[in-house]
Amino acid sequence: KNEVEQSPQNLTAQEGEFITINCSYSVGISALHWLQQHPGGGIVSLFMLSSGKKKHGRLIATINIQEKHSSLHITASHPRDSAVYICATRSQGNLIFGKGTKLSVKP
Amino acid sequence: DGGITQSPKYLFRKEGQNVTLSCEQNLNHDAMYWYRQDPGQGLRLIYYSQIVNDFQKGDIAEGYSVSREKKESFPLTVTSAQKNPTAFYLCASSSSGTGSKYGYTFGSGTRLTVV
């Protein structure tokens, strides 16, 4: 069974800092998703990766298939980035979710 | 714009009552999913459906039921048999097929409180 581990669980940063959230998984996957959940609860899909690196605005996601590891980076962090970031892996059709990283960016 | 609509956002029910959560999508996605989220835990799969009139149990299906009579709709009923129904419920959809090119769209969730 695939285990998805995220670190850190909680992260507090000052506005402008560079942020990294990590995700490790235990079995081969077809894709990895990074999701953002705001306090209201709705989830937005940020990235879907199967290899390499993707960038969208200030967000960068990377994946190393051999090491079974992915990172989500936020450059020039802003208080509006405060949210829970969730890593989810896809294998055999369904998603397995990490427990999430709660990010708080202080002005 | 296409998306997923979950209603209501907040729901309160008395213990022992069945309650149905609505999920509608206009993305023309074949697959739909229901997840449950509890504090400090990852989302867990309750039921999923890859095609109309067919659905499969997920990891925590006991005490729940679903139907998929239309492609756009995948309602979830929380029955009185569910021992701990208070939770946040999320619906999602995706294009059919396996492989890495298929993304997911999530709804805004329903927070169910049983008193």
Side-chain angles (χ1 to χ4, degrees), chain A residues 1 9 30-31 33 35 37 39-45 48-50 84 86 90 92-100, chain B residues 9 33 35 37 40-45 48 59 88 90 94-95 97-104 106-109:
Chain A
K1 184 181 173 181
Q9 273 188 292
S30 58
H33 298 252
L35 312 168
Q37 185 173 32
I43 288 180
V44 173
S45 183
M48 182 174 61
L49 293 165
S50 55
V84 176
I86 300 170
R90 181 173 188 164
Q92 298 180 344
N94 288 320
L95 293 180
I96 305 294
F97 295 82
K99 294 182 180 179
Chain B
K9 192 169 178 64
Y33 311 82
Y35 296 97
Q37 187 177 40
Q41 293 197 41
L43 279 79
R44 294 180 290 168
L45 182 64
Y48 65 101
D59 300 320
F88 187 66
L90 274 158
S94 70
S95 300
T98 56
S100 60
K101 63 176 179 175
Y102 299 105
Y104 283 69
F106 288 84
S108 56

Side-chain angles (χ1 to χ4, degrees), chain B residues 57-68:
Chain B
K57 291 182 179 180
D59 300 320
I60 54 165
E62 186 175 346
Y64 299 98
S65 65
V66 293
S67 63
R68 186 88 186 276

Side-chain angles (χ1 to χ4, degrees), chain B residues 6-17:
Chain B
Q6 285 188 244
S7 61
K9 192 169 178 64
Y10 298 96
L11 190 54
F12 295 87
R13 277 296 180 268
K14 289 185 178 178
E15 198 170 330
Q17 288 182 334

Side-chain angles (χ1 to χ4, degrees), chain B residues 5-13 17-24 32 34-36 46 64-67 73-79 85 87-91 109-114:
Chain B
T5 301
Q6 285 188 244
S7 61
K9 192 169 178 64
Y10 298 96
L11 190 54
F12 295 87
R13 277 296 180 268
Q17 288 182 334
N18 290 357
V19 60
T20 297
L21 282 58
S22 169
C23 178
E24 304 276 332
M32 297 186 74
W34 273 106
Y35 296 97
R36 171 180 170 138
I46 304 172
Y64 299 98
S65 65
V66 293
S67 63
S73 179
F74 191 40
L76 173 74
T77 297
V78 184
T79 75
F88 187 66
Y89 292 89
L90 274 158
C91 179
T110 292
R111 189 167 297 280
L112 173 64
T113 302
V114 175

